Amino acid sequence: MAYRAHIDPIACAAHGDCEDIAPEIFRVGDVAEVIGTGPDELMLEAARVCPSVAIRITDEATGEQVFP
Amino acid sequence: MTDGILIAGAGLAAQRGAETLRRSGFDGPIRVVGAEPHRPYDRPPLSKAVLADPGAEERLSFRPGAWYDDADVELVLGVEAIGLDYRARRLQLSDGGAAAYDQLLVATGSRPRTLPLLDGFANVTTLRTLEDARELRGVLAARGRLAIVGAGFIGQEVASAARKAGVRATVVEAAPAPLHSVLGASVGGWFADLHRAEEVEMILDARLAAIEGDDAVEALVLADGRTVPCDHVVVGVGVQPNVEWLGLGAAGAGGMEADANGRTRLAGVWAAGDCAATFDPAVGRHVPGAHWESAGRQAVAAARGMLGLDVRSAPVASFWSDLYDTRIQYLGDAGTADAVRIDGEPRRRDFRATYTRGGRPVGVLLVGRPHELPDARALLAA
Protein backbone atom coordinates (compact mmCIF):
# COMPACT_ATOMS: atom_id res chain seq x y z
CA MET A 1 0.00 0.00 0.00
CA ALA A 2 2.61 2.50 -1.02
CA TYR A 3 0.35 4.61 -3.24
CA ARG A 4 -2.19 7.17 -2.31
CA ALA A 5 -4.98 8.65 -4.48
CA HIS A 6 -6.04 12.29 -4.52
CA ILE A 7 -9.06 13.72 -6.32
CA ASP A 8 -9.02 17.12 -7.98
CA PRO A 9 -12.63 18.13 -7.20
CA ILE A 10 -12.58 20.88 -9.81
CA ALA A 11 -11.43 18.63 -12.64
CA CYS A 12 -13.63 15.67 -11.60
CA ALA A 13 -16.77 15.39 -13.74
CA ALA A 14 -18.10 12.37 -11.83
CA HIS A 15 -17.72 9.97 -14.75
CA GLY A 16 -17.68 7.10 -12.25
CA ASP A 17 -15.06 4.96 -14.00
CA CYS A 18 -12.86 4.94 -10.88
CA GLU A 19 -15.70 3.56 -8.76
CA ASP A 20 -16.42 0.89 -11.38
CA ILE A 21 -12.80 -0.24 -11.26
CA ALA A 22 -12.10 0.16 -7.56
CA PRO A 23 -15.29 0.58 -5.51
CA GLU A 24 -13.39 0.02 -2.30
CA ILE A 25 -11.15 3.01 -3.04
CA PHE A 26 -13.44 5.52 -4.76
CA ARG A 27 -17.01 6.62 -4.33
CA VAL A 28 -18.59 9.03 -6.78
CA GLY A 29 -21.17 11.60 -5.80
CA ASP A 30 -21.19 15.15 -7.19
CA VAL A 31 -17.49 14.44 -7.52
CA ALA A 32 -15.40 11.42 -6.62
CA GLU A 33 -13.92 10.95 -3.19
CA VAL A 34 -11.33 8.58 -1.83
CA ILE A 35 -12.98 6.28 0.71
CA GLY A 36 -10.35 3.62 1.19
CA THR A 37 -7.24 2.06 -0.08
CA GLY A 38 -6.27 -0.89 -2.25
CA PRO A 39 -3.58 -2.40 -4.45
CA ASP A 40 -1.26 0.10 -6.15
CA GLU A 41 -2.01 -1.30 -9.59
CA LEU A 42 -5.76 -0.92 -9.14
CA MET A 43 -5.32 2.67 -8.01
CA LEU A 44 -3.13 3.40 -11.01
CA GLU A 45 -5.58 1.78 -13.40
CA ALA A 46 -8.42 3.91 -12.05
CA ALA A 47 -6.30 7.03 -12.47
CA ARG A 48 -5.35 6.07 -16.03
CA VAL A 49 -8.91 5.48 -17.24
CA CYS A 50 -10.33 8.67 -15.70
CA PRO A 51 -11.46 10.68 -18.75
CA SER A 52 -10.96 13.92 -16.83
CA VAL A 53 -7.56 12.94 -15.40
CA ALA A 54 -8.82 14.08 -12.01
CA ILE A 55 -6.97 11.43 -9.98
CA ARG A 56 -3.42 12.06 -8.87
CA ILE A 57 -1.40 9.20 -7.43
CA THR A 58 1.49 9.78 -5.06
CA ASP A 59 3.92 7.40 -3.42
CA GLU A 60 3.25 7.62 0.28
CA ALA A 61 6.81 6.77 1.25
CA THR A 62 8.55 9.36 -0.91
CA GLY A 63 5.75 11.87 -1.50
CA GLU A 64 6.61 11.66 -5.19
CA GLN A 65 3.87 11.96 -7.81
CA VAL A 66 3.43 8.71 -9.76
CA PHE A 67 0.51 9.77 -11.98
CA PRO A 68 -0.22 11.71 -14.12
CA MET B 1 -45.29 23.80 -2.65
CA THR B 2 -45.77 20.05 -2.55
CA ASP B 3 -45.63 19.00 -6.18
CA GLY B 4 -41.88 18.81 -5.90
CA ILE B 5 -39.31 18.70 -8.64
CA LEU B 6 -40.00 17.02 -11.93
CA ILE B 7 -37.25 15.98 -14.29
CA ALA B 8 -38.24 15.45 -17.91
CA GLY B 9 -35.76 13.00 -19.42
CA ALA B 10 -33.84 10.17 -17.82
CA GLY B 11 -30.28 10.43 -19.06
CA LEU B 12 -27.09 11.74 -17.51
CA ALA B 13 -28.43 15.23 -16.78
CA ALA B 14 -31.55 13.81 -15.12
CA GLN B 15 -29.53 11.45 -12.95
CA ARG B 16 -27.00 14.07 -11.97
CA GLY B 17 -29.79 16.54 -11.23
CA ALA B 18 -31.67 14.09 -8.99
CA GLU B 19 -28.53 13.10 -7.13
CA THR B 20 -27.49 16.68 -6.54
CA LEU B 21 -30.94 17.60 -5.24
CA ARG B 22 -30.87 14.82 -2.69
CA ARG B 23 -27.29 15.39 -1.66
CA SER B 24 -27.98 19.08 -1.24
CA GLY B 25 -30.72 18.34 1.27
CA PHE B 26 -33.88 18.61 -0.83
CA ASP B 27 -36.40 16.24 0.77
CA GLY B 28 -39.51 16.93 -1.33
CA PRO B 29 -40.77 14.69 -4.12
CA ILE B 30 -38.51 14.05 -7.12
CA ARG B 31 -39.94 12.40 -10.21
CA VAL B 32 -37.96 11.46 -13.30
CA VAL B 33 -39.97 10.89 -16.48
CA GLY B 34 -38.10 9.06 -19.25
CA ALA B 35 -39.13 7.84 -22.70
CA GLU B 36 -36.89 4.77 -22.61
CA PRO B 37 -37.82 1.70 -20.57
CA HIS B 38 -34.43 1.67 -18.81
CA ARG B 39 -33.16 3.15 -15.59
CA PRO B 40 -30.89 6.14 -16.33
CA TYR B 41 -27.77 4.84 -18.05
CA ASP B 42 -24.52 6.09 -19.47
CA ARG B 43 -24.34 6.51 -23.23
CA PRO B 44 -20.63 6.87 -24.12
CA PRO B 45 -19.98 3.10 -23.79
CA LEU B 46 -22.70 2.44 -26.41
CA SER B 47 -20.30 3.34 -29.21
CA LYS B 48 -17.35 1.67 -27.52
CA ALA B 49 -17.40 -1.32 -25.13
CA VAL B 50 -21.06 -2.26 -25.65
CA LEU B 51 -20.52 -2.81 -29.37
CA ALA B 52 -17.94 -5.47 -28.60
CA ASP B 53 -19.21 -7.05 -25.42
CA PRO B 54 -22.78 -7.71 -24.22
CA GLY B 55 -21.35 -7.93 -20.69
CA ALA B 56 -20.56 -4.21 -20.83
CA GLU B 57 -24.31 -3.54 -20.63
CA GLU B 58 -24.24 -4.53 -16.97
CA ARG B 59 -22.15 -1.49 -16.14
CA LEU B 60 -24.31 1.03 -18.02
CA SER B 61 -26.82 1.95 -15.32
CA PHE B 62 -25.71 4.92 -13.23
CA ARG B 63 -27.23 3.38 -10.10
CA PRO B 64 -28.83 0.08 -9.13
CA GLY B 65 -32.62 -0.04 -8.85
CA ALA B 66 -32.44 0.03 -5.07
CA TRP B 67 -30.77 3.44 -5.17
CA TYR B 68 -33.98 5.05 -6.39
CA ASP B 69 -35.95 3.51 -3.51
CA ASP B 70 -33.35 4.56 -0.97
CA ALA B 71 -33.13 8.09 -2.37
CA ASP B 72 -36.91 8.25 -2.80
CA VAL B 73 -36.60 9.24 -6.45
CA GLU B 74 -39.61 8.09 -8.45
CA LEU B 75 -38.82 6.79 -11.93
CA VAL B 76 -41.61 6.99 -14.48
CA LEU B 77 -40.19 5.05 -17.42
CA GLY B 78 -41.49 4.41 -20.89
CA VAL B 79 -43.43 7.66 -20.70
CA GLU B 80 -42.57 10.76 -22.65
CA ALA B 81 -43.18 14.41 -21.89
CA ILE B 82 -45.30 15.68 -24.78
CA GLY B 83 -46.40 19.13 -23.68
CA LEU B 84 -45.70 21.85 -21.17
CA ASP B 85 -48.18 24.25 -19.59
CA TYR B 86 -45.69 26.46 -17.80
CA ARG B 87 -48.33 28.80 -16.42
CA ALA B 88 -50.11 25.96 -14.66
CA ARG B 89 -46.76 24.23 -14.00
CA ARG B 90 -47.96 20.99 -15.53
CA LEU B 91 -46.41 18.53 -17.91
CA GLN B 92 -48.51 16.48 -20.31
CA LEU B 93 -47.41 12.87 -20.64
CA SER B 94 -47.60 10.41 -23.52
CA ASP B 95 -49.68 7.97 -21.45
CA GLY B 96 -52.48 10.52 -21.31
CA GLY B 97 -51.64 11.66 -17.81
CA ALA B 98 -50.26 14.92 -16.51
CA ALA B 99 -47.69 15.76 -13.88
CA ALA B 100 -47.68 18.90 -11.75
CA TYR B 101 -44.44 20.41 -10.48
CA ASP B 102 -43.06 23.27 -8.48
CA GLN B 103 -39.85 23.26 -10.50
CA LEU B 104 -39.05 21.45 -13.72
CA LEU B 105 -35.70 20.36 -15.12
CA VAL B 106 -35.91 19.90 -18.87
CA ALA B 107 -33.35 17.20 -19.63
CA THR B 108 -34.81 15.44 -22.65
CA GLY B 109 -31.51 15.18 -24.46
CA SER B 110 -31.09 14.95 -28.19
CA ARG B 111 -31.66 12.48 -30.97
CA PRO B 112 -29.53 11.64 -33.98
CA ARG B 113 -30.16 13.54 -37.16
CA THR B 114 -31.25 11.35 -40.02
CA LEU B 115 -30.91 11.67 -43.77
CA PRO B 116 -34.14 11.75 -45.82
CA LEU B 117 -32.46 9.71 -48.54
CA LEU B 118 -31.96 6.84 -46.09
CA ASP B 119 -35.35 6.97 -44.38
CA GLY B 120 -37.42 3.82 -44.43
CA PHE B 121 -34.70 1.28 -45.19
CA ALA B 122 -34.51 -1.71 -42.86
CA ASN B 123 -30.73 -1.85 -42.52
CA VAL B 124 -30.04 1.76 -41.55
CA THR B 125 -29.40 2.69 -37.93
CA THR B 126 -28.33 5.61 -35.86
CA LEU B 127 -26.65 5.16 -32.49
CA ARG B 128 -28.13 6.79 -29.44
CA THR B 129 -29.92 4.20 -27.30
CA LEU B 130 -29.12 0.83 -25.82
CA GLU B 131 -31.43 -0.78 -28.39
CA ASP B 132 -29.46 0.91 -31.18
CA ALA B 133 -26.20 -0.45 -29.75
CA ARG B 134 -27.62 -3.97 -29.41
CA GLU B 135 -28.76 -3.94 -33.00
CA LEU B 136 -25.40 -2.69 -34.20
CA ARG B 137 -23.56 -5.29 -32.12
CA GLY B 138 -25.59 -7.95 -33.90
CA VAL B 139 -24.68 -6.43 -37.24
CA LEU B 140 -20.98 -6.45 -36.37
CA ALA B 141 -21.20 -10.05 -35.17
CA ALA B 142 -22.70 -11.04 -38.54
CA ARG B 143 -19.59 -9.56 -40.21
CA GLY B 144 -21.43 -7.80 -43.02
CA ARG B 145 -19.91 -4.84 -44.83
CA LEU B 146 -20.60 -1.63 -42.97
CA ALA B 147 -21.08 1.81 -44.48
CA ILE B 148 -20.76 4.70 -42.04
CA VAL B 149 -22.16 8.04 -43.10
CA GLY B 150 -20.45 10.86 -41.21
CA ALA B 151 -16.95 10.95 -39.74
CA GLY B 152 -17.75 12.63 -36.46
CA PHE B 153 -16.78 10.91 -33.25
CA ILE B 154 -19.74 8.49 -33.34
CA GLY B 155 -18.90 7.41 -36.88
CA GLN B 156 -15.23 7.07 -36.01
CA GLU B 157 -15.92 5.04 -32.88
CA VAL B 158 -18.19 2.73 -34.84
CA ALA B 159 -15.41 2.32 -37.44
CA SER B 160 -12.99 1.45 -34.64
CA ALA B 161 -15.43 -1.11 -33.17
CA ALA B 162 -16.08 -2.55 -36.62
CA ARG B 163 -12.40 -3.17 -37.27
CA LYS B 164 -12.00 -4.78 -33.87
CA ALA B 165 -14.82 -7.13 -34.84
CA GLY B 166 -13.13 -7.87 -38.16
CA VAL B 167 -15.79 -6.06 -40.16
CA ARG B 168 -15.06 -4.20 -43.38
CA ALA B 169 -16.02 -0.58 -42.97
CA THR B 170 -16.28 2.40 -45.29
CA VAL B 171 -16.71 5.92 -43.96
CA VAL B 172 -18.38 8.48 -46.19
CA GLU B 173 -17.88 12.08 -45.14
CA ALA B 174 -19.00 15.33 -46.78
CA ALA B 175 -16.08 17.42 -45.49
CA PRO B 176 -12.49 17.21 -46.80
CA ALA B 177 -11.44 15.53 -43.53
CA PRO B 178 -13.00 14.10 -40.38
CA LEU B 179 -13.81 16.85 -37.86
CA HIS B 180 -12.60 19.34 -40.45
CA SER B 181 -14.65 22.32 -39.27
CA VAL B 182 -13.40 21.99 -35.71
CA LEU B 183 -9.86 20.61 -35.96
CA GLY B 184 -8.85 21.86 -39.39
CA ALA B 185 -7.30 20.15 -42.40
CA SER B 186 -4.02 18.87 -40.98
CA VAL B 187 -5.33 17.31 -37.78
CA GLY B 188 -8.51 16.18 -39.54
CA GLY B 189 -6.22 14.52 -42.09
CA TRP B 190 -4.48 12.71 -39.25
CA PHE B 191 -7.80 11.14 -38.27
CA ALA B 192 -8.39 10.03 -41.86
CA ASP B 193 -4.92 8.44 -41.93
CA LEU B 194 -5.56 6.75 -38.59
CA HIS B 195 -8.58 4.92 -39.98
CA ARG B 196 -6.87 4.09 -43.25
CA ALA B 197 -3.98 2.55 -41.32
CA GLU B 198 -6.60 0.30 -39.69
CA GLU B 199 -7.91 -0.63 -43.14
CA VAL B 200 -11.04 1.45 -43.00
CA GLU B 201 -11.90 2.96 -46.35
CA MET B 202 -12.32 6.74 -46.00
CA ILE B 203 -14.20 8.56 -48.73
CA LEU B 204 -13.97 12.29 -48.13
CA ASP B 205 -15.56 15.28 -49.88
CA ALA B 206 -18.35 12.87 -50.67
CA ARG B 207 -21.98 13.63 -51.30
CA LEU B 208 -24.67 10.99 -51.11
CA ALA B 209 -26.65 11.06 -54.35
CA ALA B 210 -28.82 7.94 -54.41
CA ILE B 211 -29.46 4.58 -52.83
CA GLU B 212 -29.45 1.17 -54.50
CA GLY B 213 -31.85 -1.31 -52.96
CA ASP B 214 -35.57 -1.62 -52.26
CA ASP B 215 -36.31 -2.57 -48.65
CA ALA B 216 -32.68 -2.64 -47.64
CA VAL B 217 -29.78 -0.50 -48.77
CA GLU B 218 -27.50 -2.52 -51.05
CA ALA B 219 -25.17 0.32 -51.95
CA LEU B 220 -24.70 4.02 -51.44
CA VAL B 221 -24.28 5.94 -54.67
CA LEU B 222 -22.10 9.03 -54.41
CA ALA B 223 -22.38 12.20 -56.48
CA ASP B 224 -19.18 11.37 -58.37
CA GLY B 225 -20.66 8.04 -59.44
CA ARG B 226 -18.79 5.85 -57.00
CA THR B 227 -20.82 3.18 -55.21
CA VAL B 228 -20.31 1.81 -51.71
CA PRO B 229 -21.79 -1.70 -51.48
CA CYS B 230 -22.88 -2.51 -47.96
CA ASP B 231 -24.96 -4.82 -45.77
CA HIS B 232 -25.68 -2.19 -43.16
CA VAL B 233 -25.54 1.60 -42.86
CA VAL B 234 -24.81 3.63 -39.74
CA VAL B 235 -25.69 7.29 -39.89
CA GLY B 236 -23.71 9.60 -37.60
CA VAL B 237 -24.36 13.11 -38.83
CA GLY B 238 -24.95 14.94 -35.58
CA VAL B 239 -27.84 15.36 -33.18
CA GLN B 240 -30.78 17.66 -32.68
CA PRO B 241 -32.21 18.68 -29.31
CA ASN B 242 -35.47 17.13 -28.14
CA VAL B 243 -37.33 20.35 -27.52
CA GLU B 244 -40.22 20.34 -30.00
CA TRP B 245 -42.57 19.03 -27.31
CA LEU B 246 -42.11 22.28 -25.37
CA GLY B 247 -44.08 24.11 -28.02
CA LEU B 248 -43.17 26.83 -30.45
CA GLY B 249 -41.28 29.72 -28.97
CA ALA B 250 -40.25 28.00 -25.76
CA ALA B 251 -37.02 26.80 -27.28
CA GLY B 252 -34.71 27.95 -30.05
CA ALA B 253 -33.37 25.73 -32.82
CA GLY B 254 -30.18 25.08 -30.85
CA GLY B 255 -32.12 23.94 -27.80
CA MET B 256 -33.89 25.40 -24.81
CA GLU B 257 -32.03 28.56 -23.93
CA ALA B 258 -30.79 28.78 -20.38
CA ASP B 259 -28.47 31.05 -18.47
CA ALA B 260 -25.11 29.81 -17.18
CA ASN B 261 -26.89 28.28 -14.19
CA GLY B 262 -29.51 26.49 -16.26
CA ARG B 263 -32.40 28.88 -15.60
CA THR B 264 -34.71 29.42 -18.59
CA ARG B 265 -37.01 32.34 -19.38
CA LEU B 266 -39.99 30.34 -18.08
CA ALA B 267 -40.66 30.64 -14.35
CA GLY B 268 -39.77 27.45 -12.50
CA VAL B 269 -38.23 25.83 -15.58
CA TRP B 270 -34.56 24.87 -15.86
CA ALA B 271 -32.71 23.09 -18.65
CA ALA B 272 -29.55 21.02 -18.82
CA GLY B 273 -27.71 18.67 -21.15
CA ASP B 274 -28.06 18.06 -24.87
CA CYS B 275 -31.52 19.67 -25.06
CA ALA B 276 -30.22 22.94 -23.60
CA ALA B 277 -28.47 25.88 -25.22
CA THR B 278 -26.63 27.25 -22.23
CA PHE B 279 -25.26 30.77 -22.13
CA ASP B 280 -21.48 30.74 -22.11
CA PRO B 281 -20.11 34.03 -20.75
CA ALA B 282 -16.72 33.27 -22.31
CA VAL B 283 -18.12 33.52 -25.84
CA GLY B 284 -21.14 35.71 -25.06
CA ARG B 285 -23.79 33.47 -26.60
CA HIS B 286 -25.93 30.39 -26.03
CA VAL B 287 -24.05 27.21 -26.87
CA PRO B 288 -25.92 24.03 -27.81
CA GLY B 289 -25.25 21.13 -25.46
CA ALA B 290 -23.02 18.49 -26.91
CA HIS B 291 -20.74 16.96 -24.37
CA TRP B 292 -21.06 14.51 -21.54
CA GLU B 293 -19.13 16.60 -19.07
CA SER B 294 -21.05 19.78 -19.70
CA ALA B 295 -24.38 17.92 -19.47
CA GLY B 296 -23.47 16.64 -16.01
CA ARG B 297 -22.20 19.97 -14.81
CA GLN B 298 -25.20 21.87 -16.16
CA ALA B 299 -27.53 19.53 -14.30
CA VAL B 300 -25.62 19.98 -11.06
CA ALA B 301 -25.76 23.76 -11.53
CA ALA B 302 -29.51 23.70 -12.27
CA ALA B 303 -30.24 21.47 -9.27
CA ARG B 304 -28.30 23.75 -6.98
CA GLY B 305 -29.95 26.78 -8.54
CA MET B 306 -33.40 25.31 -7.85
CA LEU B 307 -32.49 25.14 -4.19
CA GLY B 308 -31.03 28.63 -4.14
CA LEU B 309 -27.50 27.34 -3.62
CA ASP B 310 -24.43 28.85 -5.20
CA VAL B 311 -22.97 27.25 -8.28
CA ARG B 312 -19.39 26.06 -8.27
CA SER B 313 -17.17 27.25 -11.06
CA ALA B 314 -16.29 24.60 -13.60
CA PRO B 315 -13.07 24.07 -15.53
CA VAL B 316 -12.92 24.02 -19.32
CA ALA B 317 -14.99 20.97 -20.27
CA SER B 318 -13.12 18.20 -22.00
CA PHE B 319 -14.37 15.56 -24.39
CA TRP B 320 -12.90 12.13 -24.88
CA SER B 321 -13.00 9.29 -27.35
CA ASP B 322 -11.23 5.98 -27.71
CA LEU B 323 -10.18 4.97 -31.21
CA TYR B 324 -8.23 1.74 -31.75
CA ASP B 325 -7.27 1.76 -28.08
CA THR B 326 -5.82 5.26 -28.29
CA ARG B 327 -7.38 7.86 -26.05
CA ILE B 328 -8.31 11.12 -27.74
CA GLN B 329 -9.10 14.15 -25.61
CA TYR B 330 -10.26 17.51 -26.76
CA LEU B 331 -10.98 20.67 -24.88
CA GLY B 332 -11.70 24.27 -25.67
CA ASP B 333 -12.90 25.60 -28.98
CA ALA B 334 -10.43 24.85 -31.75
CA GLY B 335 -12.95 25.96 -34.37
CA THR B 336 -12.10 29.60 -33.66
CA ALA B 337 -8.33 29.13 -34.01
CA ASP B 338 -6.11 30.77 -36.63
CA ALA B 339 -3.07 28.56 -36.03
CA VAL B 340 -2.19 25.10 -34.77
CA ARG B 341 1.04 23.70 -33.41
CA ILE B 342 1.78 19.98 -33.26
CA ASP B 343 4.10 18.55 -30.61
CA GLY B 344 5.00 14.88 -30.53
CA GLU B 345 4.80 12.08 -33.04
CA PRO B 346 1.51 11.88 -34.89
CA ARG B 347 2.65 8.68 -36.65
CA ARG B 348 3.00 6.98 -33.30
CA ARG B 349 -0.42 8.18 -32.20
CA ASP B 350 1.23 10.31 -29.58
CA PHE B 351 0.88 14.06 -29.98
CA ARG B 352 -0.64 17.26 -28.82
CA ALA B 353 -2.22 19.86 -31.09
CA THR B 354 -2.40 23.32 -29.56
CA TYR B 355 -4.83 25.69 -31.28
CA THR B 356 -4.31 29.43 -30.91
CA ARG B 357 -6.08 32.56 -31.98
CA GLY B 358 -3.92 35.68 -32.10
CA GLY B 359 -1.33 33.67 -30.19
CA ARG B 360 -3.73 32.86 -27.36
CA PRO B 361 -4.52 29.16 -26.72
CA VAL B 362 -8.19 28.37 -27.51
CA GLY B 363 -8.21 24.59 -27.88
CA VAL B 364 -6.12 21.49 -27.31
CA LEU B 365 -6.33 18.01 -28.80
CA LEU B 366 -4.44 15.24 -27.02
CA VAL B 367 -3.78 11.93 -28.72
CA GLY B 368 -2.39 9.16 -26.55
CA ARG B 369 -1.41 11.67 -23.88
CA PRO B 370 -4.04 11.55 -21.16
CA HIS B 371 -1.54 12.65 -18.54
CA GLU B 372 -1.26 16.05 -20.25
CA LEU B 373 -4.93 16.89 -19.72
CA PRO B 374 -4.43 18.84 -16.45
CA ASP B 375 -1.73 20.90 -18.13
CA ALA B 376 -3.91 21.56 -21.17
CA ARG B 377 -6.77 22.58 -18.92
CA ALA B 378 -4.52 25.05 -17.10
CA LEU B 379 -3.25 26.40 -20.42
CA LEU B 380 -6.78 27.20 -21.60
CA ALA B 381 -7.88 28.61 -18.26
CA ALA B 382 -4.96 31.05 -18.15
Side-chain angles (χ1 to χ4, degrees):
Chain A
M1 302 306 146
Y3 287 177
R4 197 184 160 132
H6 315 260
I7 306 288
D8 175 350
I10 301 294
C12 177
H15 288 268
D17 295 25
C18 56
E19 185 177 324
D20 288 348
I21 285 173
E24 61 288 348
I25 307 176
F26 302 98
R27 184 172 56 210
V28 179
D30 274 354
V31 295
E33 56 181 321
V34 178
I35 56 163
T37 185
D40 290 352
E41 260 317 305
L42 200 63
M43 221 179 267
L44 262 182
E45 193 193 339
R48 285 199 190 103
V49 301
C50 173
S52 302
V53 195
I55 302 171
R56 193 164 52 85
I57 306 288
T58 55
D59 187 322
E60 217 160 6
T62 65
E64 212 169 291
Q65 183 163 315
V66 185
F67 185 91
Chain B
M1 296 294 239
T2 53
D3 290 327
I5 293 173
L6 188 61
I7 301 178
L12 167 68
Q15 178 67 30
R16 208 42 74 70
E19 291 200 20
T20 299
L21 288 168
R22 282 292 180 247
R23 252 197 306 277
S24 304
F26 177 71
D27 60 4
I30 300 177
R31 268 171 307 167
V32 175
V33 178
E36 292 183 64
H38 313 290
R39 282 200 309 278
Y41 65 92
D42 203 20
R43 295 189 199 280
L46 297 182
S47 51
K48 305 178 181 79
V50 174
L51 290 182
D53 173 19
E57 288 185 15
E58 285 165 28
R59 298 187 295 276
L60 283 184
S61 290
F62 289 114
R63 299 288 176 192
W67 182 89
Y68 298 88
D69 296 332
D70 294 346
D72 196 16
V73 171
E74 185 189 350
L75 291 179
V76 183
L77 301 176
V79 174
E80 226 169 315
I82 57 167
L84 169 67
D85 181 347
Y86 63 87
R87 290 186 187 87
R89 299 204 177 198
R90 265 156 58 97
L91 210 61
Q92 278 168 261
L93 303 177
S94 59
D95 63 0
Y101 62 83
D102 296 324
Q103 301 198 81
L104 170 69
L105 177 61
V106 176
T108 41
S110 62
R111 63 184 182 279
R113 285 183 200 283
T114 54
L115 298 172
L117 207 54
L118 287 164
D119 276 351
F121 289 100
N123 59 344
V124 177
T125 48
T126 52
L127 182 50
R128 176 77 186 173
T129 66
L130 177 55
E131 281 69 24
D132 294 338
R134 284 175 178 158
E135 183 183 353
L136 194 51
R137 188 171 64 226
V139 168
L140 295 183
R143 300 266 186 120
R145 294 157 305 175
L146 194 64
I148 300 166
V149 180
F153 276 108
I154 288 287
Q156 294 192 57
E157 288 178 3
V158 170
S160 172
R163 292 308 299 146
K164 259 191 185 164
V167 168
R168 282 175 55 191
T170 302
V171 177
V172 176
E173 165 62 42
L179 308 167
H180 186 267
S181 63
V182 181
L183 299 180
S186 65
V187 175
W190 179 85
F191 279 92
D193 290 344
L194 171 73
H195 294 288
R196 285 174 175 144
E198 299 285 345
E199 298 179 334
V200 171
E201 187 183 3
M202 293 291 291
I203 306 182
L204 303 169
D205 268 324
R207 202 169 62 76
L208 208 53
I211 304 301
E212 281 177 13
D214 295 325
D215 301 327
V217 178
E218 289 163 16
L220 307 177
V221 182
L222 306 182
D224 65 2
R226 272 184 291 184
T227 61
V228 180
C230 56
D231 299 299
H232 198 89
V233 183
V234 176
V235 179
V237 292
V239 295
Q240 58 192 109
N242 291 325
V243 289
E244 292 85 353
W245 64 275
L246 290 161
L248 281 174
M256 180 136 199
E257 290 189 355
D259 70 13
N261 295 338
R263 189 189 292 270
T264 73
R265 284 181 289 118
L266 307 180
V269 180
W270 306 69
D274 284 4
C275 67
T278 303
F279 188 77
D280 182 349
V283 294
R285 61 184 163 85
H286 290 88
V287 177
H291 295 338
W292 193 101
E293 279 193 15
S294 40
R297 290 204 168 105
Q298 286 162 9
V300 171
R304 292 181 64 84
M306 283 180 177
L307 304 181
L309 301 170
D310 63 318
V311 174
R312 303 175 184 127
S313 65
V316 183
S318 58
F319 172 88
W320 84 107
S321 179
D322 291 317
L323 299 174
Y324 312 104
D325 296 321
T326 296
R327 177 146 289 186
I328 316 281
Q329 284 152 313
Y330 167 71
L331 60 170
D333 187 5
T336 62
D338 55 28
V340 57
R341 193 185 75 227
I342 309 287
D343 297 294
E345 297 191 63
R347 283 187 189 174
R348 291 171 175 260
R349 303 181 184 179
D350 172 26
F351 71 97
R352 167 179 182 153
T354 307
Y355 291 83
T356 54
R357 178 174 180 82
R360 198 179 143 266
V362 291
V364 173
L365 177 81
L366 297 171
V367 173
R369 296 186 166 199
H371 53 282
E372 290 190 10
L373 187 64
D375 181 56
R377 211 180 261 133
L379 181 75
L380 293 181

